[in-house]
Amino acid sequence: MVILKTTREIAKMRNAGRISQRALQEAGRAVQPGVSTYEIDCIVRDYIEKQGATPSFLGYGGFPASACISVNNVVIHGIPSKNHILKNGDIVSIDVGAKFEGYHGDNAWTFPCGDISKDAQALLDATREALFEGIKNAVAGARIGDIGHAVQQYAEARSYSVVRDFVGHGVGAKLHEDPSVPNYGIPHRGVRLLPGMTIAIEPMITQGTHKVKVLDDGWTTVTADGMLAAHFEHTVAITSDGTVILTSAD
Ligand code: MG
């Protein structure tokens, strides 16, 4: 069931979104060769807790950290570790959520570590732009399929693949609500987008196959062919005055 939010609830979600985005930016600034993914997770947790908020992911379904940190061929749900030291040339996807006054924000960004290859940079650029194509199509009166179609078309036109096994989602008092927001789809199909809907749009785009596998830890999700993946996400609110990015810093 899709839960529509009031203007007042959306204002609260804007606060949660702002904290989530600032935590993500703090994490991104820390990405450099020689830093462990555990250190970045600590930065995220400290920042969120200092704002009087709670890291949404910590303990969610048993997840052991505040941020998912997914490097290179890891698509999503990478577990931060003291033993994982970032190297020059890595691409580092960081997914962060914060709960504040009862509502969640959820966002992700893939950061370059030092100097990355042209191919890696092109993947980052395409995935970020695919996210904004999705957001552009997330307007009242459109349908969920319009978002996924826009993302898919943008990515596949550049010979990338769209991960199917994981999708975006509604966000609110719960981190994951209805509807599902796939990054693929058919125009004019699926749930109609209404003012008051708050959703996370989060393309996961790969260089090779769209197929992924989950490692034995039950979380770490990697590309089946070992090629690079990128992940960008914003939580947005659909309103009668247009679509608002809730996970924005200012
Ligand atoms: Mg999400």
Side-chain angles (χ1 to χ4, degrees), residues 56-120:
S56 302
F57 301 170
L58 187 61
Y60 186 89
F63 191 75
S66 299
C68 298
I69 306 183
S70 307
V71 180
N72 294 337
N73 63 313
V74 182
V75 186
I76 50 167
H77 300 167
I79 300 172
S81 163
K82 287 179 182 169
N83 299 322
H84 191 153
I85 310 297
L86 297 176
K87 299 186 306 292
N88 188 55
D90 284 343
I91 61 169
V92 184
S93 299
I94 303 179
D95 194 346
V96 168
K99 187 179 196 185
F100 185 69
E101 293 183 346
Y103 291 90
H104 293 275
D106 188 5
N107 60 182
W109 204 259
T110 304
F111 298 95
C113 181
D115 301 314
I116 64 171
S117 71
K118 271 196 180 129
D119 284 353

Side-chain angles (χ1 to χ4, degrees), residues 136-158:
K136 243 189 264 173
N137 284 274
V139 293
R143 291 181 184 268
I144 285 289
D146 295 311
I147 300 173
H149 179 72
V151 170
Q152 181 178 18
Q153 212 180 27
Y154 190 89
E156 291 182 354
R158 286 153 185 79

Side-chain angles (χ1 to χ4, degrees), residues 118-127 130 151-164 204-210 227-230:
K118 271 196 180 129
D119 284 353
Q121 187 62 55
L123 175 68
L124 267 50
D125 292 343
T127 308
V151 170
Q152 181 178 18
Q153 212 180 27
Y154 190 89
E156 291 182 354
R158 286 153 185 79
S159 302
Y160 297 120
S161 300
V162 171
V163 170
R164 307 285 201 276
M204 293 151 245
I205 305 296
T206 64
Q207 283 181 324
T209 177
H210 72 267
M227 293 185 78
L228 296 178

